[in-house]
Amino acid sequence: MQMQSFGAAGTVTGSMHLLTLGGRQLLVDCGLFQGGDELERRNHEDFPFDPAALDAIILTHAHLDHVGRLPLLVRLGYRGPVYCTPPTAALAETVLLDSARLQVEGHRQDLRRARRQGREDEVLPPLYDEEDVHRTLALLRPHLNFGETVKVAGVRVTPERAGHILGSAYLILEAPGGRLLMSGDLGNRESGLQLDFTPPPAVDAVVLETTYANRTHRDWAGTRAEFAQALRDSVRQNGKILIPSFAIERAQTILYTLKELMDSGEVPRIPVFLDSPMAARATHEYFEYGDELIPPVRDALRDGEDPFRPSTLHTVPTSAESQRLNRYDGPAIIMAGNGMMTGGRIQHHLKHHLWKPSTNLIIVSYQSPSSLGGRIVAGADTVRLMGEDVAVRAQVHTIGGFSAHADQDDLLAFLSTSGTPHVWLVHGEVGVMDAFLPVLAGRGLKGDIVPDRSPVDLLGAGFKDGRPPGLVVPPTGAAGQGEGGE
Ligand SMILES: [Zn+2]
């Protein structure tokens, strides 16, 4: 039972794990690296395996950092099946088409800029285009349903609810030699929208996400109160409230919470601009799959209500309309992507408002330390935005409880029913994973940090102290300064 990780090893994005089980090669997730130029350059590296030799791919959920390199794999020759749950297939279509559009547009912009500098040879080609995405979508097999065992390339696989976003699953694989659990991303049990993860059965090895393995989120009531207070304070200052948000799950959680807070009178009814066509499209899927959501949301959907529509909501379809918002006077809430502020429409809103003391920036998602959002959270005085230096004078609120990710208590609760598995850590900053090792040891569990690219035997002895050779552990406190999470 061997695994090689080509992403989300020592970092939280780019999830891609190659499993070799009884001679079969299964790839679990095929995500994009996100969060700054340095990480994103890794998207252009060659795949360290032959895509055509894979037996099958399984997707745990539709976030871009778990599916975003799939069209590239198809472009390079993969023609086999891609298994996922039905909501993951539906959301993956929205996510991948948007990603292709960004790839092509980004490339066009880079090329224009590089031509002026006489450096057009240095511009990397787009990773893929819409045509690659359509070929990819044709390979999707939405045959995974929670609790039902299926055979994937001869391996018995049981998906279970992960409680992270719509359709998100963790996987139990019956491999020769033992049972393996691949966690994908696990949900925050205090999250406002999704039902909790299903407690797992006993297994021999767990590959565990660790985005927030070093912290505890505030409970939901506390998070809601903190958000309401930040909104009321912002309204008093009569400025703009910017909420950078990922389009799937976070955007819907924020819309649902805004509607509740405005309907109950806890927050004044000011205009809400959802400046994210992708978030608007993704919201439609929530109407299809309401059974995965907490009872009040599910029941509202069954009654034909729209729990994601505050009465003052405006959606902003075109980028011209998005630009016009810059001239809008008076207080308003603007939700736009992307969540780490490294691109997308949020950038021009930041350029127009980040330097004003009356602006409030409410951060509800994980910010990788190298991203623009990470630098703002770390207290930068100025940041580079669309070719200009912009002062950070806005008030910055970080609300961690909106995270869609399990915190340390959630992860330990998840492990508590899984027997005494060997725990392999992925999808976390190195410092966070390192701090989690003694916590696992305290529970009598052997933990190991999964190395980048090198193969590991998931049923083997692991590493001394849980650290693979050559691993550099940053000093305590240097990692995981973001909040929220994808
Ligand atoms: Zn995710």
Side-chain angles (χ1 to χ4, degrees):
M1 198 193 286
Q2 186 188 284
M3 182 175 80
Q4 256 181 305
S5 296
F6 303 111
T11 179
V12 298
T13 63
S15 279
M16 191 192 301
H17 308 290
L18 179 63
L19 296 172
T20 307
L21 307 173
R24 300 302 187 104
Q25 290 210 311
L26 295 183
L27 194 69
V28 175
D29 290 336
C30 190
L32 205 67
F33 286 99
Q34 293 174 282
D37 290 346
E38 202 183 310
L39 269 173
E40 287 168 21
R41 258 194 296 278
R42 287 196 60 182
N43 293 320
H44 292 269
E45 290 175 3
D46 288 338
F47 284 100
F49 52 86
D50 176 9
L54 293 174
D55 291 290
I57 298 175
I58 308 178
L59 303 177
T60 61
H61 65 291
H63 270 147
L64 190 62
D65 66 320
H66 290 257
V67 303
R69 273 190 287 171
L70 197 53
L72 183 59
L73 202 66
V74 172
R75 184 175 213 167
L76 295 174
Y78 182 70
R79 294 289 177 268
V82 180
Y83 292 92
C84 60
T85 63
T88 295
L91 290 170
E93 176 171 351
T94 299
V95 168
L96 292 177
L97 284 172
D98 185 74
S99 176
R101 191 181 52 75
L102 287 177
Q103 291 290 333
V104 172
E105 272 177 20
H107 175 253
R108 219 175 278 149
Q109 265 170 21
D110 290 350
L111 206 57
R112 263 202 304 271
R113 202 170 301 142
R115 275 208 191 103
R116 289 196 287 270
Q117 300 165 349
R119 299 189 298 108
E120 57 263 49
D121 301 347
E122 294 169 28
V123 177
L124 295 167
L127 289 174
Y128 48 82
D129 57 22
E130 235 177 76
E131 210 171 298
D132 298 309
V133 171
H134 287 296
R135 274 205 297 272
T136 305
L137 296 174
L139 301 178
L140 293 185
R141 302 282 178 271
H143 301 162
L144 299 188
N145 296 301
F146 298 144
E148 292 175 19
T149 303
V150 291
K151 269 203 166 173
V152 174
V155 179
R156 285 166 59 83
V157 178
T158 311
E160 295 285 359
R161 184 191 348 268
H164 169 61
I165 66 164
L166 207 65
S168 64
Y170 65 86
L171 310 170
I172 296 159
L173 299 104
E174 313 281 342
R179 280 174 123 186
L180 166 64
L181 190 158
M182 300 291 294
S183 78
D185 287 357
L186 294 172
N188 170 4
R189 289 178 300 164
E190 286 284 348
S191 115
L193 219 50
Q194 299 292 320
L195 291 177
D196 291 350
F197 53 70
T198 306
V203 293
D204 301 293
V206 174
V207 175
L208 187 72
E209 73 116 323
T210 53
T211 317
Y212 289 120
N214 65 337
R215 67 175 71 196
T216 311
H217 301 313
R218 186 168 281 188
D219 65 20
W220 181 250
T223 296
R224 191 175 176 282
E226 190 183 1
F227 185 50
Q229 190 60 48
L231 289 168
R232 283 193 296 266
D233 291 349
S234 314
V235 171
R236 261 197 297 279
Q237 285 153 351
N238 213 31
K240 295 290 180 294
I241 301 166
L242 304 182
I243 309 180
S245 22
F246 289 98
I248 296 175
E249 219 280 333
R250 206 65 32 81
Q252 290 76 25
T253 305
I254 299 295
L255 288 171
Y256 168 65
T257 311
L258 281 173
K259 177 175 162 55
E260 268 202 335
L261 291 172
M262 288 182 179
D263 287 355
S264 64
E266 290 165 82
V267 163
R269 290 190 190 276
I270 61 168
V272 178
F273 293 99
L274 179 61
D275 191 8
S276 168
M278 175 154 81
R281 271 197 304 278
T283 304
H284 292 300
E285 303 304 337
Y286 282 72
F287 287 80
E288 285 292 310
Y289 301 103
D291 285 352
E292 283 193 35
L293 306 173
I294 55 170
V297 182
R298 182 195 60 204
D299 295 346
L301 288 169
R302 279 187 190 157
D303 292 344
E305 293 164 26
D306 184 345
F308 307 113
R309 179 167 283 276
S311 62
T312 53
L313 182 71
H314 306 268
T315 51
V316 184
T318 68
S319 45
E321 285 163 280
S322 174
Q323 298 285 346
R324 268 207 294 283
L325 281 181
N326 295 327
R327 298 198 299 272
Y328 181 89
D329 235 5
I333 297 170
I334 300 174
M335 298 170 60
N338 67 35
M340 292 195 217
M341 304 175 236
T342 53
R345 294 184 184 178
I346 192 67
Q347 287 217 324
H348 78 84
H349 296 303
L350 289 167
K351 185 174 144 188
H352 276 84
H353 299 296
L354 196 59
W355 52 275
K356 299 173 188 163
S358 64
T359 299
N360 284 267
L361 175 64
I362 303 186
I363 293 180
V364 294
S365 311
Y366 180 82
Q367 306 295 321
S368 105
S370 61
S371 66
L372 177 63
R375 289 199 294 279
I376 293 174
V377 172
D381 296 328
T382 55
V383 290
R384 192 86 185 152
L385 262 165
M386 306 172 82
E388 272 181 46
D389 288 325
V390 177
V392 184
R393 296 223 182 90
Q395 297 187 46
V396 181
H397 313 256
T398 309
I399 302 186
F402 279 119
S403 173
H405 278 276
D407 64 6
Q408 189 180 89
D409 293 344
D410 293 323
L411 293 175
L412 293 173
F414 185 79
L415 291 173
S416 69
T417 62
S418 66
T420 50
H422 192 147
V423 185
W424 295 89
L425 309 182
V426 294
H427 204 287
E429 305 292 343
V430 171
V432 172
M433 292 192 285
D434 199 63
F436 193 48
L437 289 172
V439 180
L440 289 174
R443 307 275 163 143
L445 295 172
K446 166 69 173 146
D448 277 291
I449 296 173
V450 170
D452 192 22
R453 299 181 181 94
S454 308
V456 288
D457 174 6
L458 296 172
L459 295 177
F463 306 110
K464 185 172 178 298
D465 303 327
R467 297 170 175 174
L471 183 81
V472 180
V473 181
T476 325
Q481 51 190 297
E483 292 279 352
E486 277 322 277

Short mmCIF file of all heavy atoms in Angstrom, two decimals, residues 368-389:
data_model
loop_
_atom_site.label_atom_id
_atom_site.label_comp_id
_atom_site.label_asym_id
_atom_site.label_seq_id
_atom_site.Cartn_x
_atom_site.Cartn_y
_atom_site.Cartn_z
N SER A 368 -3.21 31.62 2.70
CA SER A 368 -1.87 31.02 2.76
C SER A 368 -0.88 32.16 3.03
O SER A 368 -1.07 33.28 2.56
CB SER A 368 -1.57 30.26 1.46
OG SER A 368 -0.66 31.00 0.68
N PRO A 369 0.17 31.88 3.82
CA PRO A 369 1.09 32.96 4.23
C PRO A 369 1.66 33.74 3.05
O PRO A 369 1.92 34.93 3.16
CB PRO A 369 2.20 32.21 4.98
CG PRO A 369 1.56 30.94 5.44
CD PRO A 369 0.53 30.59 4.41
N SER A 370 1.83 33.08 1.88
CA SER A 370 2.45 33.76 0.74
C SER A 370 1.43 34.53 -0.11
O SER A 370 1.81 35.20 -1.06
CB SER A 370 3.17 32.73 -0.14
OG SER A 370 2.24 31.79 -0.61
N SER A 371 0.13 34.43 0.20
CA SER A 371 -0.87 35.10 -0.63
C SER A 371 -1.02 36.56 -0.22
O SER A 371 -0.57 36.97 0.85
CB SER A 371 -2.21 34.38 -0.50
OG SER A 371 -2.70 34.52 0.83
N LEU A 372 -1.69 37.34 -1.07
CA LEU A 372 -1.95 38.73 -0.72
C LEU A 372 -2.73 38.82 0.60
O LEU A 372 -2.40 39.61 1.49
CB LEU A 372 -2.76 39.40 -1.85
CG LEU A 372 -3.18 40.85 -1.60
CD1 LEU A 372 -1.98 41.76 -1.46
CD2 LEU A 372 -4.08 41.34 -2.73
N GLY A 373 -3.74 37.96 0.73
CA GLY A 373 -4.52 37.94 1.97
C GLY A 373 -3.65 37.61 3.18
O GLY A 373 -3.80 38.21 4.25
N GLY A 374 -2.73 36.67 3.00
CA GLY A 374 -1.82 36.29 4.09
C GLY A 374 -0.97 37.47 4.53
O GLY A 374 -0.74 37.67 5.73
N ARG A 375 -0.54 38.28 3.57
CA ARG A 375 0.30 39.44 3.91
C ARG A 375 -0.53 40.49 4.65
O ARG A 375 -0.05 41.14 5.58
CB ARG A 375 0.94 40.02 2.65
CG ARG A 375 2.02 39.11 2.07
CD ARG A 375 2.96 39.84 1.13
NE ARG A 375 2.30 40.30 -0.07
CZ ARG A 375 2.03 39.54 -1.14
NH1 ARG A 375 2.37 38.27 -1.14
NH2 ARG A 375 1.43 40.04 -2.20
N ILE A 376 -1.78 40.67 4.24
CA ILE A 376 -2.64 41.64 4.93
C ILE A 376 -2.90 41.18 6.37
O ILE A 376 -2.80 41.95 7.31
CB ILE A 376 -3.96 41.85 4.16
CG1 ILE A 376 -3.67 42.53 2.81
CG2 ILE A 376 -4.96 42.67 4.97
CD1 ILE A 376 -4.88 42.67 1.89
N VAL A 377 -3.22 39.88 6.52
CA VAL A 377 -3.48 39.35 7.86
C VAL A 377 -2.23 39.50 8.75
O VAL A 377 -2.33 39.79 9.94
CB VAL A 377 -3.90 37.86 7.78
CG1 VAL A 377 -3.98 37.23 9.17
CG2 VAL A 377 -5.26 37.73 7.09
N ALA A 378 -1.05 39.36 8.14
CA ALA A 378 0.19 39.47 8.92
C ALA A 378 0.53 40.92 9.26
O ALA A 378 1.51 41.19 9.95
CB ALA A 378 1.34 38.83 8.15
N GLY A 379 -0.27 41.89 8.76
CA GLY A 379 -0.09 43.28 9.18
C GLY A 379 0.70 44.15 8.23
O GLY A 379 1.26 45.18 8.66
N ALA A 380 0.77 43.80 6.94
CA ALA A 380 1.50 44.64 5.98
C ALA A 380 0.92 46.06 5.95
O ALA A 380 -0.29 46.24 6.04
CB ALA A 380 1.40 44.01 4.58
N ASP A 381 1.81 47.09 5.86
CA ASP A 381 1.35 48.49 5.78
C ASP A 381 0.88 48.84 4.37
O ASP A 381 -0.05 49.61 4.19
CB ASP A 381 2.49 49.46 6.13
CG ASP A 381 2.92 49.29 7.57
OD1 ASP A 381 2.05 48.95 8.39
OD2 ASP A 381 4.11 49.48 7.86
N THR A 382 1.59 48.30 3.38
CA THR A 382 1.18 48.51 1.99
C THR A 382 1.26 47.17 1.27
O THR A 382 2.03 46.29 1.67
CB THR A 382 2.11 49.48 1.23
OG1 THR A 382 3.43 49.00 1.34
CG2 THR A 382 2.02 50.89 1.73
N VAL A 383 0.46 47.03 0.24
CA VAL A 383 0.52 45.81 -0.59
C VAL A 383 0.50 46.22 -2.05
O VAL A 383 0.02 47.30 -2.41
CB VAL A 383 -0.66 44.85 -0.29
CG1 VAL A 383 -0.53 44.21 1.07
CG2 VAL A 383 -2.01 45.55 -0.43
N ARG A 384 1.03 45.36 -2.89
CA ARG A 384 1.08 45.59 -4.33
C ARG A 384 -0.22 45.05 -4.93
O ARG A 384 -0.55 43.89 -4.76
CB ARG A 384 2.28 44.83 -4.88
CG ARG A 384 2.65 45.18 -6.28
CD ARG A 384 3.58 46.38 -6.32
NE ARG A 384 3.84 46.77 -7.71
CZ ARG A 384 4.12 47.99 -8.09
NH1 ARG A 384 4.20 48.97 -7.22
NH2 ARG A 384 4.34 48.27 -9.35
N LEU A 385 -0.97 45.94 -5.60
CA LEU A 385 -2.26 45.53 -6.17
C LEU A 385 -2.38 46.05 -7.59
O LEU A 385 -2.35 47.25 -7.81
CB LEU A 385 -3.40 46.15 -5.34
CG LEU A 385 -4.05 45.28 -4.30
CD1 LEU A 385 -4.86 46.13 -3.35
CD2 LEU A 385 -4.92 44.22 -4.93
N MET A 386 -2.53 45.17 -8.55
CA MET A 386 -2.70 45.55 -9.94
C MET A 386 -1.65 46.59 -10.35
O MET A 386 -1.99 47.62 -10.94
CB MET A 386 -4.12 46.08 -10.17
CG MET A 386 -5.19 45.11 -9.69
SD MET A 386 -6.87 45.78 -9.74
CE MET A 386 -7.26 45.51 -11.47
N GLY A 387 -0.41 46.34 -10.00
CA GLY A 387 0.69 47.20 -10.43
C GLY A 387 0.88 48.47 -9.63
O GLY A 387 1.66 49.34 -10.00
N GLU A 388 0.16 48.60 -8.50
CA GLU A 388 0.31 49.81 -7.68
C GLU A 388 0.53 49.44 -6.22
O GLU A 388 0.01 48.43 -5.77
CB GLU A 388 -1.00 50.63 -7.73
CG GLU A 388 -1.08 51.62 -8.85
CD GLU A 388 -2.40 52.39 -8.78
OE1 GLU A 388 -2.77 52.85 -7.67
OE2 GLU A 388 -3.05 52.50 -9.82
N ASP A 389 1.24 50.30 -5.49
CA ASP A 389 1.34 50.09 -4.05
C ASP A 389 0.13 50.75 -3.39
O ASP A 389 -0.17 51.91 -3.64
CB ASP A 389 2.63 50.73 -3.50
CG ASP A 389 3.85 49.94 -3.92
OD1 ASP A 389 3.74 48.70 -4.00
OD2 ASP A 389 4.90 50.56 -4.21
#
